[in-house]
Amino acid sequence: MTNPITSTLDAGQQKIAGDALQGTVVDLIDLSLIAKQAHWNVIGKNFRSVHLALDELVTAARDFTDEAAERATAIGVSPDGRSETVSTTAGTKGFGTGWTKDDEVTAAVVDNLAAVIDRLRTRIADTEAADPVTQDLLIGITARLEQLHWMWQAQVD
């Protein structure tokens, strides 16, 4: 099928912005899945606060996924959030199976947030000249994830 959505960006700008947005989509989908897996399996004395904070992270990651995917669509790039694509291209650190102590969950969330933020910062630099609108979106996502990263780090003993 030909591309039914045209872009105001030239082909080079569209490629740079589209790649940045696609990478962001898969990272955020995986971050939301990691947080939900942790949410279901967290145990320990801080269970309740960690459990609730994981819901906050899931909501943020899902909302940002939609924003990034819709921006991709707006510039004529079809976003790919299929499980196969996410599992082979996300830059997250992952999360283990089974019951997980609250301090281990916290450490895993901190590591996963740091990985996603690191990739977002690269994409911010990549999109500076190509598409400032996409860059602005990525800056906003990064700012919120950095805030969450700080909040999760503050829980580490």
Side-chain angles (χ1 to χ4, degrees):
M1 167 186 259
T2 60
N3 192 349
I5 309 298
T6 59
S7 178
T8 57
L9 303 176
D10 69 34
Q13 294 168 320
Q14 184 186 40
K15 170 94 171 100
I16 291 167
D19 288 350
L21 290 162
Q22 177 59 36
T24 300
V25 165
V26 297
D27 284 353
L28 292 171
I29 288 171
D30 206 31
L31 182 62
S32 72
L33 294 172
I34 287 166
K36 200 42 118 168
Q37 179 68 17
H39 172 87
W40 295 323
N41 286 283
V42 63
I43 58 172
K45 64 181 177 174
N46 295 315
F47 161 81
R48 181 142 175 84
S49 62
V50 173
H51 185 78
L52 294 173
L54 287 163
D55 272 340
E56 180 182 11
L57 178 56
V58 169
T59 298
R62 287 179 177 169
D63 289 347
F64 289 143
T65 299
D66 197 47
E67 289 179 31
E70 288 185 359
R71 175 67 188 154
T73 302
I75 64 167
V77 174
S78 175
D80 185 354
R82 296 172 301 149
S83 59
E84 178 183 346
T85 303
V86 172
S87 70
T88 59
T89 63
T92 51
K93 300 294 183 185
F95 189 79
T97 61
W99 308 119
T100 308
K101 295 286 290 172
D102 48 16
D103 60 333
E104 293 171 22
V105 168
T106 299
V109 169
V110 168
D111 289 347
N112 278 286
L113 279 167
V116 172
I117 290 165
D118 183 57
R119 287 170 49 111
L120 277 163
R121 286 196 160 273
T122 298
R123 293 179 192 124
I124 288 168
D126 292 347
T127 56
E128 181 178 12
D131 184 18
V133 175
T134 293
Q135 183 193 45
D136 184 58
L137 174 64
L138 299 178
I139 289 169
I141 292 169
T142 303
R144 177 64 175 131
L145 292 182
E146 285 180 340
Q147 180 186 40
L148 289 169
H149 185 247
W150 150 57
M151 291 178 177
W152 279 93
Q153 285 184 83
Q155 297 181 64
V156 177
D157 292 333

